């Protein structure tokens, strides 16, 4: 395994680049599929595998930028992006990301950034998991088997997209941007529900527009953390290779996803990420128990499980479309 | 995995307070504001030239390091996405057949 080990100079750890490639592929797949940069999985994963928290955040953010760029090309081609809204929210996110970064750097002076960021992650991920699972159950009870809002009503494509006001868009951008800079995420996992529930966008428009916002926040965050010596470029590159292939597949697979199925999968992913972080926090509190190994196993198992489910959806969707071409997106 | 070693720790007897602190915290928690310099100082002997160059650039010219990283990631992401798209289209993974195979001729 020596041949696969690389030294990451800024993180100060040795790492197996095959694991980076696998993490990148899974995160890219989820990025393309859910419209997130993969931060909720990636930053905790890097921290769980030994990156100092601030370096994990910086590295996560630049990786989010790279793979969001890949996902953005795909979503823009498919017409899933609302550019006006994306630019407004993205501009507010710049301010927020800077605020979040300053908070992390302040906490780092007292060596509190690791535990604080993990606890904030745990609270957020648990809340979002509960929300998505509740939505899923409600949709199941209604017998809602839609593939997507836009697809159930062909006339929907003809209607003008909703034009949300500037003030709510700026507020969402500032709030999500601050958390984004603090947690090392693109912000998609918060933007998608915000766009869905507050701005009433369709699932596809919410996913596509959030990818544009992730490009903006990831780029700024990556540069800002790198300028503080908290970003490892060598770690980003293998992840980007995996992500570029994963994102292509994920963005295609989302066209075949049922709306409520998407929410269930998203909920499971967030729950597993929270579990991994809880184990990491326990490891910091009780190093003798070696919870870190269990946390690492949980991250890898989650990445593999979600990837397999998304790939299965894609294969099933393509087969169905081949059987009935009028059904294809 | 190796924990980050604070700069100057190698080859020097640590002070009692540092020993006590190390006993209760993982070493990486001690990474402070000069983390980039610490990482540079802690580079292993077999670290490659690229690692040394990047560690040095990050320590001494952080803004140049940030801009270089941004450019590398932008170019790599775009090139890789185009490559991935072409490869997958060539292999037919993303193509959907709009009709039955061979259903329309001439």
């Amino acid at each position: 395994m020596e041949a696969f080990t690389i030294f990451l100079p800024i993180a100060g750890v040795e790492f197996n680049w095959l694991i980076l490639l696998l993490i990148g592929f899974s995160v890219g797949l989820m990025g393309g599929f859910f419209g997130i940069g993969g931060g909720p999985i990636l930053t905790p994963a890097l921290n769980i595998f030994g990156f100092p928290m601030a370096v994990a955040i910086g590295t996560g953010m630049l990786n989010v930028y790279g793979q969001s760029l890949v996902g953005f090309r795909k979503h823009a081609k498919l017409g899933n992006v609302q550019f006006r809204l994306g630019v407004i929210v993205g501009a507010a996110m710049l301010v927020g990301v800077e605020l979040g970064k300053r908070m992390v750097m302040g906490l780092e002076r007292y060596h509190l950034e690791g535990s604080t960021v993990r606890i904030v992650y745990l609270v957020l991920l648990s809340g979002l998991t509960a929300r998505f699972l509740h939505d899923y159950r409600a949709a199941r009870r209604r017998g809602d088997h839609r593939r997507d809002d836009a697809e159930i009503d062909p006339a929907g494509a003809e209607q003008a997209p909703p034009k949300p006001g500037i003030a709510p868009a700026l507020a969402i951008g500032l709030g999500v941007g601050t958390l984004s800079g603090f947690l090392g995420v693109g912000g998609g996992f918060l933007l998608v529900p915000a766009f869905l529930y507050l701005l009433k966008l369709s699932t596809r428009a919410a996913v596509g527009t959030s990818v544009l916002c992730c490009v903006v926040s990831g780029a700024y965050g990556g540069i800002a953390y790198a300028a503080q010596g908290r970003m490892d470029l060598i770690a980003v590159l293998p992840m980007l290779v995996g992500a570029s292939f994963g994102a292509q597949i994920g963005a295609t697979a989302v066209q075949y996803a049922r709306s409520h199925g998407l929410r269930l999968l998203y909920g499971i992913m967030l729950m597993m990420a929270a579990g991994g972080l809880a184990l990491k926090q326990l490891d910091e509190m009780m190093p003798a128990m070696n919870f870190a190994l269990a946390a690492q196993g949980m991250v890898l198992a989650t990445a593999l499980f979600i990837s397999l489910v998304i790939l299965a959806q894609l294969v099933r969707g393509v087969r169905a479309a081949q059987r009935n071409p009028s059904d294809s997106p | 995995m190796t924990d980050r070693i604070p700069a100057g720790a190698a080859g020097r007897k640590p002070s009692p307070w540092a020993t006590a602190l190390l006993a209760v915290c993982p070493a990486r928690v001690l990474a402070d504001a000069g983390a980039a310099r610490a990482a540079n100082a802690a580079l292993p002997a077999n670290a490659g030239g690229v690692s040394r160059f990047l560690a040095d650039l990050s320590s001494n010219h952080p803004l140049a390091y940030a801009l270089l990283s941004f450019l590398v990631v932008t170019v790599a992401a775009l090139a890789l996405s185009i490559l991935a798209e072409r490869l997958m289209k060539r292999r037919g993974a993303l193509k959907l057949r709009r009709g039955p195979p061979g259903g329309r001729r001439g």
Side-chain angles (χ1 to χ4, degrees):
Chain A
M1 293 302 277
E2 275 291 307
F4 299 114
T5 304
I6 48 173
F7 181 75
L8 305 173
I10 310 298
V13 295
E14 283 182 346
F15 217 101
N16 187 321
W17 62 264
L18 286 179
I19 293 181
L20 286 174
L21 202 68
L22 174 70
I23 291 175
F25 177 77
S26 307
V27 166
L29 200 60
M30 293 177 221
F33 193 74
F34 296 122
I36 57 169
I41 289 277
L42 185 67
T43 305
L46 292 179
N47 182 237
I48 285 167
F49 279 101
F51 278 48
M53 185 52 95
V55 180
I57 294 173
T59 306
M61 290 212 81
L62 199 67
N63 192 70
V64 160
Y65 160 69
Q67 70 191 51
S68 298
L69 204 58
V70 175
F72 171 68
R73 281 187 69 242
K74 185 85 185 170
H75 278 287
K77 270 187 197 167
L78 294 168
N80 295 343
V81 183
Q82 284 200 19
F83 283 92
R84 176 183 168 271
L85 178 65
V87 169
I88 294 169
V89 176
M93 283 182 84
L94 293 181
V95 181
V97 169
E98 179 62 30
L99 278 174
K101 187 208 78 183
R102 285 178 186 228
M103 286 183 209
V104 171
M105 302 316 288
L107 284 167
E108 201 189 43
R109 274 186 219 127
Y110 304 99
H111 312 301
L112 289 171
E113 81 288 3
S115 299
T116 312
V117 170
R118 270 191 296 274
I119 288 165
V120 174
Y121 254 121
L122 275 173
V123 173
L124 258 175
L125 294 178
S126 306
L128 283 171
T129 301
R131 176 75 205 236
F132 272 86
L133 293 182
H134 175 265
D135 280 0
Y136 168 73
R137 284 180 60 190
R140 288 271 299 192
R141 233 178 281 134
R142 283 198 308 267
D144 182 0
H145 292 293
R146 291 180 293 179
R147 186 191 282 163
D148 193 2
D149 317 0
E151 287 172 25
I152 190 172
D153 175 18
E158 306 286 324
Q159 292 166 4
K163 279 196 174 177
I166 289 181
L170 285 175
I172 289 170
L174 190 64
V176 175
T178 307
L179 276 168
S180 172
F182 187 76
L183 299 175
V185 296
F189 78 115
L190 295 167
L191 285 172
V192 172
F195 288 162
L196 281 174
Y197 300 118
L198 301 178
L199 303 185
K200 309 290 181 200
L201 262 59
S202 71
T203 306
R204 274 212 239 163
V207 169
T209 309
S210 79
V211 174
L212 171 61
C213 298
C214 289
V215 170
V216 176
S217 66
Y220 181 76
I223 290 175
Y225 274 98
Q228 301 280 335
R230 305 295 193 282
M231 194 281 300
D232 204 310
L233 179 60
I234 295 181
V236 175
L237 295 177
M239 290 193 287
L240 208 54
V241 173
S244 56
F245 287 89
Q248 298 290 338
I249 300 171
T252 307
V254 75
Q255 298 171 78
Y256 302 104
R258 292 179 192 283
S259 228
H260 70 266
L262 201 75
R263 284 174 187 150
L264 172 67
L265 206 55
Y266 199 64
I268 292 173
M269 186 194 76
L270 296 175
M271 188 167 63
M272 300 293 274
L277 272 175
L279 286 172
K280 171 72 178 172
Q281 186 60 29
L282 281 175
D283 184 64
E284 293 279 324
M285 289 153 66
M286 295 177 277
M289 299 293 285
N290 202 11
F291 282 112
L293 202 62
Q296 290 173 7
M298 194 169 207
V299 167
L300 288 179
T302 305
L304 279 172
F305 170 71
I306 300 285
S307 301
L308 286 175
V309 173
I310 293 173
L311 288 173
Q313 289 228 15
L314 176 64
V315 170
R316 205 171 49 194
V318 169
R319 279 188 184 162
Q322 282 174 349
R323 274 197 303 272
N324 185 8
S326 62
D327 228 23
S328 66
Chain B
M1 308 288 163
T2 56
D3 283 336
R4 182 196 296 280
I5 307 297
R12 213 189 304 160
K13 195 181 173 190
S15 64
W17 67 264
T19 312
L21 210 55
L22 278 169
V24 294
C25 308
R28 60 177 171 271
V29 175
L30 294 176
D32 208 340
R37 282 187 178 79
N40 201 3
L43 279 180
N46 62 350
V50 177
S51 292
R52 287 187 185 284
F53 167 72
L54 290 176
D56 182 58
L57 193 66
S58 165
S59 303
N60 301 315
H61 307 284
L63 200 60
Y65 173 71
L67 291 176
L68 176 75
S69 302
F70 175 72
L71 282 176
V72 168
V73 169
T74 304
V75 172
L78 290 175
L80 281 167
S81 76
I82 292 166
L83 181 73
E85 207 173 336
R86 283 189 183 169
L87 274 176
M88 287 171 66
K89 271 186 183 162
R90 190 176 295 170
R91 290 189 61 85
L94 291 178
K95 276 185 188 165
L96 289 179
R97 272 180 270 177
R98 298 279 168 186
R104 196 175 161 185
R105 289 162 200 251

